[in-house]
Amino acid sequence: AEYIMKSNFIFLIFIFTFFLVSCSSVNVNNDHNKSFDFTKLSTYKILKELPKLPDGSQMPSLTYNLIASAVDLEMSKRGIGKNELLANFGIDWHTSLDEKVYKNVNSLTNWESNFSDDEAGMLIIDIVDLESGNVIWRGWAKEVLTSQNLEEKISDSVSKILSQYPPENILGLNY
């Protein structure tokens, strides 16, 4: 009887742990221009600008700062340097589905099919070729920007989104 109780207890702990892990995991996706040579990208700059106040000064933004810090950390982990003057690609992000998100994605084919009109708290990260101005890679996660654990969710989501960059097949071969 003691053996059965121990095994049931272990099983319950396993189920509880599995439930916690599955609830906290962030589901991320990405799409990219399959003909773009990602090997030539080595330095980036952040393209996203802070919103402006009526007097022209920048409005402080916790979300902006959290995302920018997480992007910088993930890029440095990959050995990709930040250089405002000599960057050869840019990083931008969007936090809602608005018209700007759908612009300038002619090089990406199927990413829109992953969304509905009522997405809440989405974070979309774009890699932009500065030469052409085109989005060449896009990664996204849903339900990131909620009121609970914002810093942790942003950090985790940015990490998981950018873990998919660069695409495995960076030369666009074998498609």
Side-chain angles (χ1 to χ4, degrees):
E2 189 177 320
Y3 173 74
I4 291 173
M5 285 183 61
K6 279 186 177 177
S7 61
N8 283 344
F9 181 73
I10 291 170
F11 179 71
L12 285 174
I13 288 177
F14 172 77
I15 293 298
F16 182 71
T17 304
F18 178 76
F19 179 75
L20 281 179
V21 169
S22 65
C23 287
S24 66
S25 67
V26 174
N27 184 21
V28 299
N29 295 287
N30 75 78
D31 193 8
H32 65 281
N33 179 334
K34 293 168 179 52
S35 63
F36 189 84
D37 179 4
F38 287 86
T39 61
K40 68 181 187 177
L41 302 181
S42 59
T43 57
Y44 75 98
K45 68 179 180 178
I46 291 183
L47 301 176
K48 185 78 170 178
E49 292 186 13
L50 280 166
K52 303 267 189 213
L53 293 170
D55 67 3
S57 63
Q58 291 184 326
M59 181 172 26
S61 169
L62 174 63
T63 304
Y64 175 94
N65 291 335
L66 290 173
I67 295 171
S69 295
V71 164
D72 288 343
L73 177 64
E74 291 306 314
M75 286 291 136
S76 69
K77 285 181 186 176
R78 287 164 183 68
I80 299 172
K82 184 175 184 179
N83 189 323
E84 296 293 323
L85 299 175
L86 300 173
N88 52 23
F89 72 98
I91 298 178
D92 198 0
W93 60 84
H94 314 281
T95 54
S96 64
L97 291 176
D98 58 20
E99 288 305 309
K100 285 194 312 188
V101 174
Y102 289 104
K103 288 182 182 174
N104 198 16
V105 291
N106 56 354
S107 58
L108 304 179
T109 52
N110 299 319
W111 79 273
E112 294 114 326
S113 64
N114 288 277
F115 307 120
S116 66
D117 290 336
D118 59 349
E119 296 294 349
M122 180 174 288
L123 174 62
I124 302 166
I125 298 177
D126 287 339
I127 303 293
V128 178
D129 175 31
L130 293 178
E131 232 175 81
S132 67
N134 287 329
V135 173
I136 51 173
W137 184 93
R138 170 167 283 167
W140 60 92
K142 299 177 181 181
E143 298 176 20
V144 175
L145 303 171
T146 58
S147 58
Q148 296 178 335
N149 304 324
L150 183 63
E151 185 172 355
E152 182 182 328
K153 280 187 175 180
I154 287 175
S155 177
D156 186 40
S157 298
V158 170
S159 176
K160 288 181 178 172
I161 291 169
L162 291 177
S163 74
Q164 300 179 351
Y165 177 84
E168 283 184 31
N169 195 335
I170 58 176
L171 293 174
L173 305 172
N174 303 321
Y175 279 96

